[in-house]
Amino acid sequence: MSPDMPTPTAPLQLSRADMQALGERALAMVIDHFESVRSKHTTTTMSREEAVRLLHTPPPESPTPASELLETLASTVFENAFRADHPRFYAFVPSPSNFVSAVGDFLMSGHNVFAGHWLASSAASQIELTVLEWLRAACGLPETASGIFVSGGSMANLSAIVVARETRLGGHDPASVVYYSDQTHSSMSKGLRVLGFSQRQRRAVVTDADMRLDVDALAAAIAEDRANGLRPFCVVANAGTTNTGAVDPLHALADLCAREGLWLHVDGAYGAAAVLHPRGAAALDGLGRADSITLDPHKWLFQPFELGCLLVRDARLMKLAFRVEEDDHADYLADISRHIQDDVNFFERGIQLTRSFKVLKLWLSMRAFGLAEFRRGIGVGFELADVAHAWLIESGKWEIVTPSQMGIVTFRWRGVGLSAHQIDALTARIVDRLRENGYATVMSTLLHGRPALRLCPIHPAATREELTATLELLTGFAEAGAGELLTRL
Ligand SMILES: Cc1ncc(COP(=O)(O)O)c(C=O)c1O
């Protein structure tokens, strides 16, 4: 090409000025979101027809100005969402994010670091190892432990079972059995199904009155299965159930697993992060006896989606489970493997080969804020669940179904003069009224076969005043609904 010919622009490239302009607009949108989220409704949903009308297009052969697309996103996608990062979003497991971590995600994808092996991402791998080390120590696991960051709790739980199965059973065994409580998150049985465990290999054991796994019932199930020629190999304990925050008896389960030679996996996707706080550490006593732990920073560690973590007591076992073998024909990885014998290659600790440097956001926010600030943030969830519990009792109108524990309280309208059936219908109606109102989001769950309202106020910017205002709203909806039911009698 002659030098005076204009240089053709390579595909998909932007000038510095264009990158700057687009970046500034996107940054302003995110800052606006952080500043305005509290003034918005907690949930806004668009109808399918409207979504199709506004967003469905044919494949875009020709370009649209990116600034125009950002405006479309601002008025549709970001306006119509379950705002799980809203300080008055008390449903499910809220996902209170933070701005520093959002910057971390931007840096991660902007630099597109391949975090699959040491050669590609030595410093990034070190950061991942360092954060794993912080979490390992916090959970009370020995120095042999380490792990990997994954997309979330579902993937961490599934990966834990892979490690347990490969190293305890030497692979798939149709006689093997995994035990967990009937309060265990659905991701566990789903993961087991994906891994080929049939229904008889997945044993949901009953819980006691406090929704904790019944250790005697578990021991009996294990004995029965052994007598029937099955091969028990793994128990999954909860470190904070999604439903009620219940923590299974970790010491008793660790003792049982030691006696029976079983792998103990602890699903702490929701609750294990609370170990950083003294109240969490006390509630989670025994956590460090697990063979593996799931802990989701995108829940009670205030990270944007997606960030889950698997910790394994003996980290070498992960490589046994996820190694790439000769007959996997990964010949193009031979040079990598030759160079990295002694270093950590995250593709040998989990399912993914290509993986992003997703822990960057956690490292950045933990370093930038300091752990004391995280501890303060976690404390808000404990305190506000207590506040709600006390308010509900004080009102005299609500029954506590499960007490404030690990940042969750569940409750039901007392409803003098109403049948259990009517109160159950009223519970659903209260949820709907609050959703229509939009001030806050509270949902119900089923406990001992009956619906109950469930509050999980773990946003670090959640306030006592707004929580109380929400409880007053719920009370108003309950009184109105109960009044209508009684006049119909
Ligand atoms: C206790 C528990 N385990 C596992 C999961 C699944 O995690 P994820 O949704 O990140 O896949 C959840 C999600 O709420 C959970 O609360």
Side-chain angles (χ1 to χ4, degrees), residues 92-93 151-157 183-188 238-243 267-271 294 296 298-299 307-308:
F92 311 115
V93 178
S151 56
S154 304
M155 191 52 90
N157 281 340
Q183 292 298 300
T184 299
H185 190 269
S186 57
S187 60
M188 185 47 69
N238 289 300
T241 62
T242 325
N243 263 346
D267 181 1
Y270 169 63
T294 289
D296 269 1
H298 68 198
K299 295 188 168 76
L307 197 63

Side-chain angles (χ1 to χ4, degrees), residues 158 165 187-197 202:
L158 183 143
R165 179 170 80 174
S187 60
M188 185 47 69
S189 61
K190 185 186 191 179
L192 289 169
R193 252 189 0 255
V194 169
L195 292 173
F197 286 81
R202 311 189 304 262

Side-chain angles (χ1 to χ4, degrees), residues 445-467:
T445 189
L446 264 194
L447 298 175
H448 298 303
R450 288 191 61 199
L453 294 173
R454 176 184 168 284
L455 207 68
C456 183
I458 61 166
H459 195 298
T463 66
R464 190 179 276 258
E465 292 70 28
E466 289 178 337
L467 183 65

Side-chain angles (χ1 to χ4, degrees), residues 5 37 47 60 162 244 278 345 371 414 424:
M5 291 272 286
V37 65
S47 71
V162 173
T244 67
N345 307 301
L371 277 188
R414 279 193 184 283
D424 293 351

Side-chain angles (χ1 to χ4, degrees), residues 313-475:
R313 180 176 207 84
D314 180 350
R316 292 169 310 176
L317 301 184
M318 302 179 81
K319 189 164 174 177
L320 290 177
F322 292 112
R323 71 197 174 277
V324 175
E325 292 188 331
E326 234 167 73
D327 62 0
D328 293 330
H329 300 296
D331 303 329
Y332 75 104
L333 292 177
D335 295 333
I336 301 295
S337 309
R338 199 173 57 247
H339 280 285
I340 49 175
Q341 292 302 331
D342 298 328
D343 295 316
V344 171
N345 307 301
F346 282 101
F347 80 91
E348 294 175 315
R349 285 191 176 194
I351 291 165
Q352 286 178 270
L353 171 58
T354 299
R355 57 193 294 277
S356 64
F357 178 31
K358 56 170 76 65
V359 70
L360 167 56
K361 56 188 161 196
L362 182 58
W363 176 82
L364 196 66
S365 55
M366 281 180 141
R367 292 287 312 262
F369 287 115
L371 277 188
E373 195 69 354
F374 275 84
R375 202 166 291 121
R376 219 160 62 86
I378 294 167
V380 171
F382 279 110
E383 285 153 29
L384 289 188
D386 288 351
V387 166
H389 181 132
W391 191 97
L392 292 160
I393 290 185
E394 179 78 8
S395 77
K397 296 174 178 170
W398 297 91
E399 165 202 356
I400 299 289
V401 180
T402 57
S404 165
Q405 57 184 343
M406 300 291 284
I408 298 175
V409 59
T410 65
F411 51 104
R412 188 181 290 132
W413 187 245
R414 279 193 184 283
V416 180
L418 297 178
S419 67
H421 181 70
Q422 285 173 316
I423 292 175
D424 293 351
L426 187 59
T427 302
R429 184 188 155 125
I430 296 168
V431 170
D432 290 345
R433 287 292 103 81
L434 186 65
R435 203 186 53 240
E436 287 152 18
N437 175 286
Y439 177 74
T441 298
V442 175
M443 296 270 170
S444 66
T445 189
L446 264 194
L447 298 175
H448 298 303
R450 288 191 61 199
L453 294 173
R454 176 184 168 284
L455 207 68
C456 183
I458 61 166
H459 195 298
T463 66
R464 190 179 276 258
E465 292 70 28
E466 289 178 337
L467 183 65
T468 307
T470 303
L471 292 170
E472 277 162 2
L473 267 178
L474 293 176
T475 305

